[in-house]
Amino acid sequence: VIAGATAQCLASPVDLLKIRMQSDGRRVRAGKAPLYRGLPDAAARIVREEGLGGMWTGATPNVVRACCINIGDQAVYDLAKRAAVAMVGAGFSPVVFASCVTGITVALLACPADTVRSKMMNHGPSAPQPLYSSLSDCVVQTYREGGIPAFY
């Protein structure tokens, strides 16, 4: 879990750039002008306008998401595979079953953090068009918009 969290923290600026560029693409498809001229421009503007720390906007939910994925993957796969082997014996079927159960579990665990991560990266306090003043504000507003289903 610690290794995954550390790796995600280090990779978070790349994820931020990806999310911002995807958001820019949606702006263009909606007939609006893009905020960035490309990846280098996005990186330079984020650092210039939001500071170097702006590159880590949304890093906290990103790390939480990585932890959820690692915990779900490591905890569930072995249990599901053992249960499937006990029911049908060894072979390919228990592997497929365990993989499916693990995938569903990881998605259920990670999706709320993924939703908050994307919202914070696009509209967090240092974003070009902020909608959220903090991580907790993002969580509260998301919940108010649609309850628990809004995180999925």
Side-chain angles (χ1 to χ4, degrees), residues 80-146:
K81 187 175 176 189
R82 271 191 241 132
V85 167
M87 288 188 282
V88 298
F92 187 65
S93 295
V95 172
V96 171
F97 173 77
S99 296
C100 290
V101 170
T102 301
I104 290 167
T105 303
V106 165
L108 288 171
L109 289 173
C111 201
D114 193 44
T115 299
V116 172
R117 166 195 71 125
S118 294
K119 288 182 172 215
M120 287 298 293
M121 287 181 168
N122 274 324
H123 302 291
S126 67
Q129 300 166 329
L131 296 177
Y132 310 108
S133 61
S134 66
L135 180 60
S136 59
D137 180 46
C138 180
V139 171
V140 168
Q141 283 193 49
T142 301
Y143 181 78
R144 286 182 181 156
E145 288 169 9

Side-chain angles (χ1 to χ4, degrees), residues 15-103:
D15 207 17
L16 172 73
L17 290 170
K18 177 191 75 156
I19 296 289
R20 293 274 179 97
M21 295 305 295
Q22 288 172 333
S23 181
D24 227 20
R26 282 191 293 276
R27 287 178 55 82
V28 170
R29 284 191 300 281
K32 298 177 182 175
L35 296 175
Y36 307 108
R37 292 187 317 267
L39 197 60
D41 178 55
R45 283 194 44 207
I46 290 168
V47 170
R48 185 175 58 249
E49 295 170 9
E50 302 172 37
L52 187 59
M55 292 297 287
W56 278 269
T57 299
T60 300
N62 223 359
V63 170
V64 169
R65 176 183 166 270
C67 290
C68 290
I69 289 170
N70 288 338
I71 289 168
D73 185 39
Q74 293 172 10
V76 174
Y77 182 82
D78 287 336
L79 292 173
K81 187 175 176 189
R82 271 191 241 132
V85 167
M87 288 188 282
V88 298
F92 187 65
S93 295
V95 172
V96 171
F97 173 77
S99 296
C100 290
V101 170
T102 301

